[in-house]
Amino acid sequence: MDSDRGTREPVIVVGAGMAGLACALRLHEAGVPVRVLEASDGVGGRVRTDLVAGFRLDRGYQVFISSYPEARRVLDIGALDLRPFSSGVIVRGRTAEARVMLPWRHPGHAFSALMAGVGTLKDKAVLSAVTGRDLALPASVLREGAERRTDEELRAWGMSPKMIDCLMRPFLAGVLLERELETSSRVFHLLWRSFARGTIGLPAHGMGEIPRQLADRLPPGTVTLGARVEEVTDGGVRLADGTTISGPAVVVAADPHTAARLLEEIEAPPMRAVTTFYHAAPRSPMGEPTQIVDATGVITDTLVVTDAAPEYSLDGRALVSTSVLGLDVDERTVLRRLGEIYGDTSGWEHVATYPIPAALPAMPPPHPLRKPVRLRSGRYVCGDHRDTGSLQGALVSGRRAADAVLADLPSRVRPRSPAM
């Protein structure tokens, strides 16, 4: 790498999503000048929050898990003012429902969880064994374990088809955005470990506070919005308006399909689609911040967001978030199912619908949990498609890409060792 250019020009990061911001922040903290080019009108990528009709609406159903190690390393979690959900779910069938809660978080529900009609006592013993093992083992061991589909993994542990179909499939559908449970068992165990170890919740003022926090720690002027990169060149990038920007290194932190368009070495993975519907209700139909998952398959999950985070409503009405796999379910079908779950919805108002065609990378086995971020000297890539499809994966990939850049820069710049 040209050392003279490295001293004059900033490293270019294409994309101000979670991975790009994490990469830029790591470079900045190591003393390397950086410039972030973002095609849209704001930072965050898929992690954005809009103000609509008096509500804070995240762009698609999203949650923050407090036990994500990289998030704990790079974020001021206290400043996010997290509003936690219950540590468990209510599984809703055609007519009946079962409550399944983590007993060490909700001891008052320990007996109801034990007797919930979603599986046998053996099934619950198997689930406890899986959870205990994932809690006890280091993440590094889980990443290197035997790999197969998640449904095959659960059967290998001895879990019955009823338990898989009545609890694991509907719960994981909203997490993995697929009902077949074809996701890599390594990914499942890492996610299950995070759920068991941490608290699930939302920042009081929306998920968009997370990328905003990272962006605010960069020097003013670092991020340029409305700057669509059309081509990665030998010496930098060319924007859609014809502007060329040079730099000693380019990190493509865009979505997988954009990354594949800009970098010939990248093959975009298949992406999972989800649609999130927001409804306003005069008052909460639930009264507690517990997620309901749908075993019938009409929807994946629904939650009264304001039972957890009342700040999402500016006028005291309740905000209900409901997600459906894919892009082709209409709002009337969703509202009909919500009426079966919550009761009378005649006074509800449809606030917004967010179709997200590329919400999460598909992660079937074999799924390498650490794809290369250094393509060649001066060319790098990051995003959750290089690690696990999660906020954790996006942040880790950004740090890995920044460290690869720093390793290639002249010896005058050295990366600081990350706290693990």
Side-chain angles (χ1 to χ4, degrees):
M1 188 174 295
D2 188 319
S3 61
D4 182 51
R5 284 181 56 206
T7 61
R8 293 195 324 262
E9 299 168 337
V11 170
I12 299 169
V13 176
V14 180
M18 297 305 303
L21 292 172
C23 177
L25 184 60
R26 175 90 171 132
L27 292 169
H28 166 65
E29 291 178 342
V32 175
V34 61
R35 183 171 184 183
V36 182
L37 304 174
E38 168 57 44
S40 75
D41 61 356
V43 301
R46 283 170 274 166
V47 185
R48 298 278 299 273
T49 303
D50 299 322
L51 189 61
V52 179
F55 292 100
R56 291 185 172 92
L57 306 182
D58 296 325
R59 295 191 180 182
Y61 176 64
Q62 303 174 42
V63 295
F64 181 83
I65 303 177
S66 65
S67 59
Y68 278 157
E70 194 70 11
R72 297 180 67 85
R73 192 185 73 80
V74 301
L75 295 172
D76 181 350
I77 294 179
L80 293 176
D81 199 10
L82 289 179
R83 300 291 187 253
F85 301 165
S86 302
S87 295
V89 296
I90 294 173
V91 182
R92 177 70 189 225
R94 292 290 177 189
T95 56
E97 65 179 33
R99 182 183 292 267
V100 181
M101 314 295 280
L102 292 181
W104 59 90
R105 296 268 175 78
H106 301 281
H109 289 295
F111 183 75
S112 62
L114 188 66
M115 302 307 295
V118 295
T120 65
L121 290 178
K122 177 187 175 183
D123 284 323
K124 287 150 194 177
V126 168
L127 186 60
S128 295
V130 172
T131 304
R133 179 254 195 183
D134 289 352
L135 279 170
L137 291 180
S140 58
V141 175
L142 298 180
R143 283 196 294 267
E144 299 300 324
E147 185 180 29
R148 51 192 156 200
R149 288 169 49 120
T150 293
D151 58 346
E152 295 171 347
E153 175 74 355
L154 295 175
R155 288 196 297 268
W157 275 82
M159 192 173 290
S160 73
K162 180 181 179 180
M163 183 70 161
I164 293 172
D165 290 341
C166 293
L167 176 62
M168 304 304 289
R169 194 181 306 280
F171 173 70
L172 291 172
V175 178
L176 304 172
L177 303 187
E178 55 101 356
R179 287 190 181 273
E180 300 306 313
L181 299 185
E182 64 181 20
T183 297
S184 165
S185 58
R186 292 177 181 175
V187 174
F188 160 71
H189 284 297
L190 287 170
L191 288 172
W192 198 254
R193 180 179 189 268
S194 295
F195 287 133
R197 288 170 61 94
T199 298
I200 303 173
L202 293 168
H205 294 95
M207 288 290 289
E209 292 300 302
I210 298 172
R212 185 174 297 114
Q213 185 183 112
L214 295 178
D216 286 348
R217 289 161 58 189
L218 294 169
T222 297
V223 180
T224 302
L225 301 177
R228 174 184 166 85
V229 173
E230 194 65 31
E231 180 185 6
V232 176
T233 66
D234 289 339
V237 299
R238 178 175 61 84
L239 304 186
D241 64 5
T243 302
T244 59
I245 301 173
S246 59
V250 176
V251 183
V252 175
D255 65 89
H257 291 288
T258 300
R261 177 176 63 83
L262 295 174
L263 299 167
E264 62 182 14
E265 299 94 336
I266 298 301
E267 181 178 349
M271 299 295 288
R272 308 292 189 192
V274 66
T275 302
T276 298
F277 298 85
Y278 286 105
H279 291 91
R283 63 193 62 83
S284 172
M286 189 68 179
E288 61 175 281
T290 303
Q291 183 185 35
I292 298 174
V293 298
D294 189 1
T296 71
V298 177
I299 64 175
T300 55
D301 50 74
T302 180
L303 175 80
V304 182
V305 177
T306 44
D307 281 347
E311 296 87 349
Y312 270 60
S313 173
L314 305 187
D315 61 11
R317 290 180 295 166
L319 178 66
V320 182
S321 168
T322 306
S323 291
V324 180
L325 297 185
L327 306 173
D328 57 357
V329 176
D330 63 54
E331 187 265 340
R332 287 179 297 177
T333 300
V334 170
L335 192 59
R336 189 179 308 117
R337 179 56 177 157
L338 293 178
E340 295 170 352
I341 292 173
Y342 290 115
D344 182 20
T345 59
S346 59
W348 289 23
E349 175 188 347
H350 176 228
V351 179
T353 298
Y354 284 87
I356 314 292
L360 193 71
M363 297 175 283
H367 180 75
L369 298 178
R370 290 289 186 271
K371 294 181 181 177
V373 293
R374 183 189 187 277
L375 304 179
R376 59 186 185 275
S377 180
R379 296 293 175 269
Y380 311 84
V381 63
C382 60
D384 63 356
H385 59 104
R386 311 311 290 172
D387 285 74
T388 56
S390 63
L391 181 68
Q392 165 74 7
L395 293 172
V396 168
S397 75
R399 189 240 301 164
R400 290 174 56 222
D403 285 349
V405 172
L406 292 169
D408 288 346
L409 284 174
S411 59
R412 63 178 184 83
V413 180
R414 295 296 184 192
R416 298 173 186 172
S417 298
M420 298 303 290

